């Protein structure tokens, strides 16, 4: 049972990171992300495009390791990256920068407590799954594909939930 939960988690986190990385590649989304990182970081605009590229590559790498690497490594990297993203949200909200969420592409909603809670909770879940996976045995290949695909569906549902929540949240003027 634990092995099944780990595989579903791998699929869900892989889908989240793959969609997050892919959605930031479009020109307006990449520009929004670069601007947010410029406002957030100590170097300003000097390294914002480089930082945005590094984040996208990190998300794509985590998605790949989740699907192809050991469960503990992929889930551990997911936990770490989500913790870093949560720290960024915390800094943004504490400084009252009013940065927009570019988590899944288009920056519509201002970063806030909901994003901090989401990233922190997902980071803790990924860490728990990583720790649980250290002694777990892999299911057979067919079962693993089914479980990972189920997890990917859950991950995509989370992304869609984020899009609906952003669309229904009133914009501050």
């Amino acid at each position: 049972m634990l092995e099944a939960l780990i595989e579903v988690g791998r699929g869900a986190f892989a889908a989240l990171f793959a969609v997050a990385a892919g959605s930031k590649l479009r020109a307006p989304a990449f520009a929004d992300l670069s601007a947010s990182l410029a406002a957030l970081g100590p170097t300003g605009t000097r390294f914002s495009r480089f930082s945005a590229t590094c984040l996208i590559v990190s998300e794509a790498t985590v998605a790949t390791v989740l699907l192809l690497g050991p469960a503990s490594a992929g889930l551990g990297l997911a936990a770490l990256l989500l913790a870093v993203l949560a720290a960024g949200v915390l800094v943004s909200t504490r400084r009252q920068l009013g940065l927009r969420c570019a988590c899944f592409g288009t920056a519509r909603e201002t970063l806030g407590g909901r994003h901090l809670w989401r990233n922190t909770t997902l980071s803790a879940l990924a860490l728990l799954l990583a720790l649980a996976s250290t002694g777990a045995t892999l299911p057979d290949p067919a079962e693993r594909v089914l479980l990972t695909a189920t997890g990917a569906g859950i991950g995509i549902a989370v992304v869609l939930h984020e899009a609906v929540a952003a669309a229904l949240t009133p914009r501050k003027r």
Side-chain angles (χ1 to χ4, degrees), residues 59-118:
E59 290 172 335
T61 300
V62 170
T64 303
V65 173
L66 279 162
L67 291 175
L68 303 177
S72 58
L75 291 163
L77 288 173
L80 178 63
L81 185 52
L82 284 160
V84 169
L85 294 171
V89 172
L90 180 62
V91 169
S92 173
T93 54
R94 294 280 240 181
R95 291 184 188 169
Q96 299 178 344
L97 297 176
L99 298 180
R100 301 269 180 210
C101 172
C103 305
F104 300 108
T106 327
R108 294 187 53 168
E109 184 182 9
T110 303
L111 287 173
R114 187 172 71 79
H115 301 94
L116 180 61
W117 181 89
R118 178 198 65 207

Side-chain angles (χ1 to χ4, degrees), residues 49-71:
R49 290 177 56 82
F50 176 73
S51 298
T53 302
C54 287
L55 176 58
I56 293 166
V57 169
S58 297
E59 290 172 335
T61 300
V62 170
T64 303
V65 173
L66 279 162
L67 291 175
L68 303 177

